[in-house]
Amino acid sequence: MKIVDITKDTLISAQKEGFTVLITKFNSDPLNPTWIVDKVEKDKIEANKKALSESYQLCYSLNEAIRTIDNRPFIGKLQLSH
C-alpha cells in the first residue's frame, strides 16, 4: 500500500488501469481525507454516489475528477493498493 498526493497524472494512471471512481475511505478525516480508487460500472456510479453520501463518504467518477482537478484540486491523499 502506498499513499500519494492526488494529481491529475495519478488519476489518469488509475483510469488506465480500469478504475472508474475516486471514493473517500470510510471514517476519513473530513479535513484531510484518504481517497481510494475503485471499479464501479459506469451506469451505477450515480447510485453509488448517493448511497455513499448517506455515510458521509464522497464519490467522484474519475472522468469528472480528471476534468475538474485543475480548477478544484482534491484535499487529502490517495491510497494506492496496487
Side-chain angles (χ1 to χ4, degrees), residues 15-35:
Q15 187 178 48
K16 286 179 181 175
E17 292 182 32
F19 293 97
T20 59
V21 292
L22 184 65
I23 301 172
T24 52
K25 200 168 177 185
F26 189 69
N27 285 336
S28 279
D29 175 356
L31 299 177
N32 190 27
T34 300
W35 296 83

Side-chain angles (χ1 to χ4, degrees), residues 2 4 7 11 13 23-25 27 30 35-36 38 43 46 49-50 58 61 65 69-70 78:
K2 189 175 171 185
V4 298
T7 66
L11 297 180
S13 292
I23 301 172
T24 52
K25 200 168 177 185
N27 285 336
W35 296 83
I36 56 174
D38 200 358
D43 61 337
E46 286 304 316
K49 282 183 181 184
K50 186 175 181 179
L58 300 174
S61 76
I69 194 167
D70 292 330
L78 180 61

Side-chain angles (χ1 to χ4, degrees), residues 19-81:
F19 293 97
T20 59
V21 292
L22 184 65
I23 301 172
T24 52
K25 200 168 177 185
F26 189 69
N27 285 336
S28 279
D29 175 356
L31 299 177
N32 190 27
T34 300
W35 296 83
I36 56 174
V37 288
D38 200 358
K39 296 177 182 178
V40 174
E41 293 176 33
K42 292 186 193 293
D43 61 337
K44 296 182 180 177
I45 291 176
E46 286 304 316
N48 198 52
K49 282 183 181 184
K50 186 175 181 179
L52 287 171
S53 71
E54 293 173 8
S55 64
Y56 302 102
Q57 285 182 268
L58 300 174
C59 175
Y60 293 95
S61 76
L62 279 181
N63 284 338
E64 178 186 0
I66 291 165
R67 190 179 70 250
T68 62
I69 194 167
D70 292 330
N71 295 325
R72 292 183 292 141
F74 287 87
I75 61 167
K77 300 285 185 186
L78 180 61
Q79 177 180 319
L80 299 178
S81 58

